[in-house]
Each structure stands twice: as C-alpha cells, then as structure tokens.
Amino acid sequence: HVKPGLHPGHREQITITVTEEMVASFGGKMVHPTLSTVTMVYYMEWAGRKVILPFLEEEEEGVGGQIAVKHCSPAPVGKKVTFTAEATEVKENKVVCRVWAEHDKAVVGEGTFTQVIAPKARIRERIEQMR
C-alpha cells in the first residue's frame, strides 16, 4: 500500500528534446522524423512512476498494469516536449494517472496509466513462476 500523502491532483513532469533515436522507425528504417508512439509511452510511464516513487514503502514496488493512449500531434526532432502525469485515483494497491505530452504548438498525446503496487517479494515470485 502506498504511504499516506499521495492524493489525486499530485503531478510530476519530465521534459525532453526529441532526438533522432526517439523517432518512429522499424527495423532501423525511419518512418517519420518525429517522436515515436513507443517513446511517448515510455516517458508517460516514467512520469507516472515519478508520481508513486516517493510514496512506496521499502518492501514494495510499482508495476505497470495498463496504459491507454492516443497520439494526437507530431513532435519533430529538436522539439521540446513535456510529459505530465497526474494522479486521478489512489487506492491501497493501485494508482491511476492521467498522462499527457505537449509542446509549444499542440498536445502530442494523452491517456491513462495504471500502476499496481505490490510487495517486491510477490513480484519476484511471479517472475520466477514465468521462467
């Protein structure tokens, strides 16, 4: 269970500049010189992780449970993009965040990210069961 103090409305942010390594590409072949959806999701999840980190007990960890996002606008190479995660639902073992990415001209993407809070021992056990 998360420590007291995490409430809906709590926000964290990450700001990055889009680089060539972050663009939409498959098999090493670039599709568009813009932020890829997979990279957008990576930073949305990271911002969501920053929301829960200060509130985790020593013996627990967060696990990405669900993410649903819409990619709305391109973010070209060189563009500065800010990713925000805002807690909307805080339960003993679950935190839901509204996530979005934006630059100076548009919202790049938006959605929700759900993290499950569980004991580290149970997470390790679950991983071992899958080997």
Side-chain angles (χ1 to χ4, degrees):
H1 63 282
V2 291
K3 290 179 193 169
L6 178 56
H7 300 290
H10 180 88
R11 283 185 181 185
E12 291 292 340
Q13 291 187 317
I14 297 175
T15 300
I16 57 118
T17 299
V18 181
T19 65
E20 295 275 343
E21 294 77 36
M22 299 175 181
V23 303
S25 60
F26 294 94
K29 193 169 162 58
M30 183 174 65
V31 181
H32 307 291
T34 61
L35 183 72
S36 69
T37 305
V38 71
T39 303
M40 179 182 77
V41 167
Y42 173 83
Y43 284 103
M44 285 174 164
E45 286 201 15
W46 192 352
R49 179 160 174 76
K50 284 179 70 175
V51 167
I52 67 165
L53 269 181
F55 302 98
L56 291 175
E57 298 286 359
E58 184 63 38
E59 74 285 351
E60 59 190 12
E61 185 53 273
V63 176
Q66 182 177 334
I67 189 153
V69 298
K70 185 166 77 170
H71 203 150
C72 310
S73 304
V77 169
K79 188 61 97 168
K80 196 161 95 169
V81 179
T82 298
F83 298 84
T84 306
E86 179 181 331
T88 56
E89 186 185 332
V90 179
K91 294 202 170 146
E92 194 173 294
N93 67 336
K94 182 174 90 166
V95 176
V96 180
C97 289
R98 182 168 78 89
V99 288
W100 67 96
E102 57 195 335
H103 55 55
D104 61 343
K105 293 192 173 171
V107 170
V108 178
E110 58 191 4
T112 58
F113 175 42
T114 302
Q115 296 170 89
V116 175
I117 313 302
K120 289 177 181 175
R122 188 167 342 128
I123 295 168
R124 281 193 303 269
E125 213 173 88
R126 185 83 174 114
I127 292 168
E128 284 307 312
Q129 289 171 353
M130 296 299 132
R131 290 199 189 281

